[in-house]
Amino acid sequence: MRSERARLTTLYGGLLVLVGALLVGLVYLLVSEGLYATVLTAVAPAVPHGASPAIRSGVASVPQPSSGWAQTVIMEPGQYAVAQRVTTAAGDAALSQLLTVSGVSLAVYSALSVALAWWMAGRVLRPVGVITARARRLSGSNLHERLALKAPPGELKELADTFDGMLDRIEELVAARQRFAANAAHELRTPLAVQRAAAEIGLADDPPPEKVAWIRDKLIDTAADSEQLIEGLLLLAVCDEGLRRRERVGLDATAATVTEALEAEAKERSITVEAEARPLSVEGDPVLLDHLVHNLVANALRHNHPGGTVRVRVGPGGLEVANTGPVVEAATVPLLFEPFRRAQVRRHAPGEGVGLGLSIVASITRAHGGEASATANPGGGLTVRVVLPTCL
């Protein structure tokens, strides 16, 4: 029996038939236990030849129930033998009839029980069949379909709702991966197109040395952007694989080191960096955590305006980096953690970045078992908070 419905039918039907057989056997046992005495009591008064009731003892006596006191029928030996033979014949006939009727009833009851068990098993397993059929039809083109099972609360309803929730997460993940692949292809194709155009157009017709020098610098900058993009993609892949090593890391010291390293870029952009670091130790990969802090501070610098500020705070609540800059719509803030998502349209300006900053931050945070969130500042810019499990 490879079908769950057949197994449930066998189980339910077998239990019902077993209960029916036990009931028939119990009834037969109880009836046969007192049947002969009851028949003998009923037959005794009808035996002829002077049998008369009396309250006394004799050769053969049979109890005769009455409405009041118990009476005894006194019989002669010959009369008692006749009554006993009649009783045995009547009792055997009654038990035989009872057994025949019970057997027929049990057979009908068994057939009905199996049919009922088959029907009930089908009703119980119907949602499972719906889930199985839907799972077989699923593909990348119909991930939007849901079971939406209409059923009373129970295990199967919970299973269907859990399946719908799983489809929601899969659809979101597949959509994100598709966007990532399309954006990555676009980002990788752009520098290649720039390099090819510079080589084919800029170097045509024996250009002067000044133009050759400009083209060389352009190719070097484009190659640097491509290298930065590839390094970011590799870093995302490493984070998705999980942590390979864990050690105690002072996040306050890491933030101070990164802030100092980016001080020159902050001065070049005329941006003031305010740092406030209190001791905070986390367990994780020091290289990845350095990338996390560096991406946050560098993002805050690049997506800012001259004369703006960047505030870096490290404390028991985690890491927080806030900056001034263009106004960001609240609806687009969660999307900034996806690869190649930007708050503003890309201008391909030097030092603009490749659009992987916050996605790398989110990936490193997930690898460390933490949580990253962002909110839009009313005057412009973002506040990004990263909460990581701390060391005791």
Side-chain angles (χ1 to χ4, degrees):
M1 292 180 295
R2 297 182 180 180
S3 169
E4 292 297 332
R5 187 176 186 180
R7 293 190 183 96
L8 288 177
T9 300
T10 302
L11 177 62
Y12 295 157
L15 289 176
L16 290 174
V17 171
L18 178 61
V19 170
L22 291 175
L23 182 61
V24 169
L26 180 62
V27 170
Y28 183 85
L29 180 64
L30 293 177
V31 171
S32 62
E33 192 71 25
L35 178 63
Y36 291 97
T38 303
V39 173
L40 181 60
T41 302
V43 168
V47 177
H49 302 298
S52 60
I55 311 299
R56 57 190 179 85
S57 57
V59 178
S61 63
V62 177
Q64 173 68 21
S66 67
S67 59
W69 301 89
Q71 296 180 344
T72 302
V73 178
I74 305 302
M75 306 177 64
E76 297 177 358
Q79 293 174 307
Y80 181 76
V82 172
Q84 197 170 29
R85 286 196 298 271
V86 172
T87 299
T88 301
D92 291 344
L95 288 178
S96 177
Q97 181 67 16
L98 175 63
L99 192 60
T100 301
V101 173
S102 298
V104 173
S105 301
L106 180 60
V108 175
Y109 171 80
S110 300
L112 291 177
S113 298
V114 172
L116 180 62
W118 178 262
W119 178 76
M120 285 299 299
R123 283 188 60 87
V124 170
L125 294 176
R126 187 178 302 166
V128 178
V130 173
I131 295 174
T132 302
R134 182 63 53 82
R136 287 174 178 169
R137 293 199 307 267
L138 279 180
S139 64
S141 60
N142 61 351
L143 279 177
H144 61 280
E145 297 182 8
R146 298 294 179 267
L147 293 177
L149 183 66
K150 296 180 180 179
E155 286 78 3
L156 291 177
K157 173 65 174 174
E158 184 178 356
L159 175 62
D161 293 342
T162 302
F163 187 81
D164 286 343
M166 181 189 68
L167 289 180
D168 291 335
R169 294 189 295 272
I170 292 177
E171 183 181 14
E172 183 179 351
L173 179 61
V174 169
R177 294 299 182 187
Q178 289 175 344
R179 289 194 301 268
F180 175 79
N183 292 332
H186 175 73
E187 295 287 340
L188 288 171
R189 184 177 58 183
T190 299
L192 293 177
V194 172
Q195 290 175 359
R196 182 171 182 175
E200 291 182 350
I201 299 174
L203 297 179
D205 300 328
D206 194 16
E210 296 82 6
K211 190 174 184 179
V212 173
W214 179 84
I215 293 173
R216 182 193 62 188
D217 294 338
K218 185 66 175 178
L219 292 176
I220 291 175
D221 291 340
T222 306
D225 290 342
S226 300
E227 184 180 1
Q228 184 182 1
L229 173 60
I230 293 172
E231 287 179 355
L233 294 174
L234 290 176
L235 185 57
L236 278 177
V238 170
C239 295
D240 290 340
E241 291 177 359
L243 299 183
R244 296 182 180 180
R245 61 171 179 163
R246 290 180 180 270
E247 60 183 71
R248 190 184 186 92
V249 179
L251 198 60
D252 53 326
T254 302
T257 302
V258 170
T259 304
E260 183 179 354
L262 293 173
E263 186 176 352
E265 183 178 348
K267 289 182 179 179
E268 183 182 348
R269 295 174 180 269
S270 301
I271 296 174
T272 303
V273 179
E274 301 173 359
E276 178 186 345
R278 286 187 288 175
L280 177 65
S281 296
V282 298
E283 185 178 359
D285 190 320
V287 176
L288 293 181
L289 291 174
D290 183 80
H291 278 291
L292 182 148
V293 179
H294 184 278
N295 278 15
L296 280 178
V297 179
N299 244 37
L301 290 174
R302 292 165 184 169
H303 300 280
N304 215 317
H305 53 71
T309 59
V310 173
R311 292 182 298 275
V312 181
R313 291 190 178 93
V314 180
L319 171 65
E320 179 181 292
V321 177
N323 71 320
T324 56
V327 176
V328 182
E329 295 183 6
T332 63
V333 171
L335 302 178
L336 297 178
F337 288 99
E338 295 185 9
F340 308 110
R341 286 294 186 118
R342 299 176 177 87
Q344 305 293 329
V345 178
R346 187 179 181 183
R347 299 181 301 273
H348 297 284
E352 185 187 20
V354 294
L356 294 176
L358 289 183
S359 62
I360 291 176
V361 168
S363 183
I364 294 176
T365 304
R366 286 194 302 270
H368 285 79
E371 182 179 356
S373 60
T375 55
N377 299 326
L382 284 176
T383 297
V384 182
R385 297 177 183 84
V386 174
V387 180
L388 298 172
T390 58
C391 295
L392 300 178

